[in-house]
């Protein structure tokens, strides 16, 4: 059966009419800020205290847009006769967002949870060279990272929390109660005399 002439036009106009009668969902940005999903990939925030300069993020980045500089520092021994240790100190951590393709590999491979996704997206610049942001700016974005979702009520307790709780309970049970010199509870201290007394025979 041959199609009716003009049926395609009628179907298109029907879609237009249906759309015209629906309520608009356009958000008047920037007057109205969008309600972004919690897992939005905006920019990458840096939690500097967790970074050990392992360089995994820079090595795994397919765009080579992460720049890290560091130096070694000698840490004195914690105990007498102990051995000195060396540790890496972070000097520079920068990300060139003009090259970044927001794949998230750097966040996934970080073994110490130093990188996080932030929903912040208002970082446009007039000069492409200004899209390389240093660690101070990445740290500011860290405070815009949303809190992780709550665990399922029936989920297992995280291993880190369970291990910390068991260690605390073990220390609480093995720690002896304070005792006196003879093993008994110490007696409360007696009150000192009110003050010096005048010698006998002193008339003053």
């Amino acid at each position: 059966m041959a199609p009716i002439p003009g049926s395609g036009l009628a179907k298109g106009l029907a879609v237009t009419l249906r759309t015209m009668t629906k309520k608009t969902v356009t958000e008047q940005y920037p007057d109205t800020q969008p309600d972004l999903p919690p897992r939005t990939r905006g920019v990458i925030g840096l939690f500097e205290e967790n970074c050990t300069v392992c360089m995994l993020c820079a090595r795994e980045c397919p765009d080579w847009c992460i720049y890290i500089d560091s130096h070694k520092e000698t840490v004195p021994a914690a105990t007498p006769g102990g051995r000195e240790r060396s540790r890496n100190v972070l000097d520079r951590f920068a990300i060139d967002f003009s090259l970044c393709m927001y794949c998230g590999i750097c966040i996934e491979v970080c073994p110490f949870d130093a990188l996080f996704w932030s929903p912040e997206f208002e970082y446009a610049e007039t000069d492409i060279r200004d899209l390389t942001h240093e660690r101070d700016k990445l740290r500011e974005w860290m405070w815009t990272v949303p809190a992780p979702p709550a665990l399922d009520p029936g989920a297992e307790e995280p291993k880190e929390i369970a291990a910390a709780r068991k260690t605390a309970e073990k220390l609480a049970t093995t720690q002896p109660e304070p005792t006196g010199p003879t093993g008994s509870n110490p007696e409360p201290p007696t009150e000192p005399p009110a003050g010096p007394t005048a010698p006998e025979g002193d008339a003053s």
Side-chain angles (χ1 to χ4, degrees), residues 74-95:
T74 302
V75 180
T79 57
R83 183 178 170 186
E84 293 183 345
R85 297 180 179 273
S86 63
R87 67 184 180 97
N88 292 323
V89 179
L90 184 67
D91 292 329
R92 185 194 184 202
F93 195 108
I95 299 178

Side-chain angles (χ1 to χ4, degrees), residues 20-100:
M20 290 175 61
T21 56
K22 290 181 180 179
K23 184 179 179 181
T24 58
V25 293
T26 304
E27 295 181 356
Q28 301 300 320
Y29 177 82
D31 298 329
T32 303
Q33 292 293 322
D35 187 15
L36 300 175
R39 297 180 65 182
T40 298
R41 295 189 176 190
V43 289
I44 298 172
L46 171 67
F47 191 54
E48 189 176 329
E49 286 76 6
N50 285 0
C51 182
T52 60
V53 201
C54 65
M55 305 292 290
L56 266 178
C57 55
R59 288 201 300 264
E60 297 295 331
C61 176
D63 290 332
W64 293 88
C65 64
I66 300 177
Y67 312 114
I68 301 175
D69 292 332
S70 66
H71 69 276
K72 287 193 176 294
E73 195 174 77
T74 302
V75 180
T79 57
R83 183 178 170 186
E84 293 183 345
R85 297 180 179 273
S86 63
R87 67 184 180 97
N88 292 323
V89 179
L90 184 67
D91 292 329
R92 185 194 184 202
F93 195 108
I95 299 178
D96 187 354
F97 285 98
S98 67
L99 297 176
C100 178

